[in-house]
């Protein structure tokens, strides 16, 4: 067309394996993937994290695998891993401009099975980043990755994030240098 694009259709080869295929033309190639589509039979949903936590507390993370027909997916294989990221306040870098940035650290990982209600319960200790003290106001973000594979091999994943800190509230307020008390 006037914009230099083209459109068309073709039939993928029958009896060939799935994977990457290409259309070749004199002026270039177009690559695409051919995959089987299988309608999912269950879903994996994470529960809200209840409570507040401080470093070294034990955190409980829950998820539930439920079939779209309503029954629990019990006895399914579970794989999980917990990763910690350390976030520092912006002012931390004023005094330590050449300090190395915090690295992502895997705290724990493991396997298990879903219980009779399709539930997954993961408990882990909120290990702090030993390079920083309480006065550094570091916030620890724990990402929990959960994969559940049922008996037919179908796998679903979920991720939950939990922030842990030495303070229960972090507040940042941008206020001008001078305020008129009568206008506030």
């Amino acid at each position: 067309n006037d914009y230099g694009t083209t459109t068309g259709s073709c039939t993928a080869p029958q009896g060939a394996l799935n994977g990457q295929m290409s259309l070749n033309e004199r002026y270039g190639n177009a690559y695409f993937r051919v995959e089987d589509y299988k309608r999912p039979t269950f879903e994996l949903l994470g529960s809200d994290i209840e409570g507040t936590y401080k470093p070294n507390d034990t955190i409980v993370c829950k998820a539930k695998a439920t079939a779209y027909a309503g029954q629990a997916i019990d006895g399914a294989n579970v794989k999980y891993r917990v990763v910690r990221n350390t976030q520092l306040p912006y002012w931390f870098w004023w005094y330590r401009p050449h300090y190395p940035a915090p690295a992502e650290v895997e705290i724990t990982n493991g396997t298990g099975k879903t219980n009779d209600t399709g539930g997954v319960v993961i408990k882990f200790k909120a290990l702090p980043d030993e390079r920083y003290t309480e006065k550094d106001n570091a916030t620890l973000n724990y990402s929990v990755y959960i994969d559940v594979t049922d008996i037919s091999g179908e796998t679903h994943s979920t991720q939950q994030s939990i922030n842990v800190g030495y303070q229960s509230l972090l507040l940042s307020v941008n206020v001008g240098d001078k305020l008129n008390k009568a206008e506030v």
Side-chain angles (χ1 to χ4, degrees):
N1 64 22
D2 294 339
Y3 300 104
T5 62
T6 184
T7 183
S9 65
C10 66
T11 303
Q14 299 294 319
L17 294 174
N18 293 335
Q20 184 170 325
M21 296 188 178
S22 67
L23 291 174
N24 302 317
E25 188 189 37
R26 185 170 60 171
Y27 299 107
N29 302 326
Y31 293 92
F32 59 94
R33 293 193 61 81
V34 175
E35 301 290 342
D36 286 328
Y37 174 75
K38 184 178 177 187
R39 178 173 283 167
T41 59
F42 75 96
E43 65 182 345
L44 178 64
L45 298 174
S47 301
D48 290 337
I49 305 296
E50 298 175 4
T52 58
Y53 297 98
K54 289 191 172 197
N56 291 313
D57 284 353
T58 299
I59 297 176
V60 178
C61 184
K62 297 178 184 180
K64 187 171 183 179
T66 308
Y68 286 118
Q71 72 272 20
I73 305 296
D74 61 333
N77 293 322
V78 176
K79 286 185 183 178
Y80 68 90
R81 66 188 200 106
V82 179
V83 176
R84 181 192 68 216
N85 281 304
T86 304
Q87 299 168 340
L88 297 164
Y90 69 93
W91 53 260
F92 181 87
W93 303 108
W94 292 349
Y95 307 106
R96 301 167 189 90
H98 302 291
Y99 204 79
E104 182 176 278
V105 176
E106 185 170 308
I107 299 298
T108 186
N109 63 50
T111 60
K113 299 270 187 194
T114 56
N115 61 24
D116 59 344
T117 63
V120 177
V121 178
I122 297 170
K123 295 179 181 180
F124 64 95
K125 188 173 181 178
L127 297 175
D129 193 332
E130 298 296 333
R131 294 179 297 171
Y132 307 104
T133 64
E134 186 173 343
K135 69 178 181 169
D136 292 325
N137 288 337
T139 301
L140 308 169
N141 177 272
Y142 296 90
S143 296
V144 182
Y145 301 96
I146 304 171
D147 299 321
V148 172
T149 305
D150 72 355
I151 195 166
S152 69
E154 182 178 341
T155 302
H156 289 275
S157 302
T158 189
Q159 182 215 345
Q160 295 180 338
S161 227
I162 304 107
N163 286 324
V164 175
Y166 293 101
Q167 296 79 25
S168 59
L169 177 66
L170 291 177
L171 183 63
S172 176
V173 180
N174 294 323
V175 180
D177 291 338
K178 294 183 180 181
L179 290 177
N180 186 344
K181 196 162 89 172
E183 293 177 1
V184 177

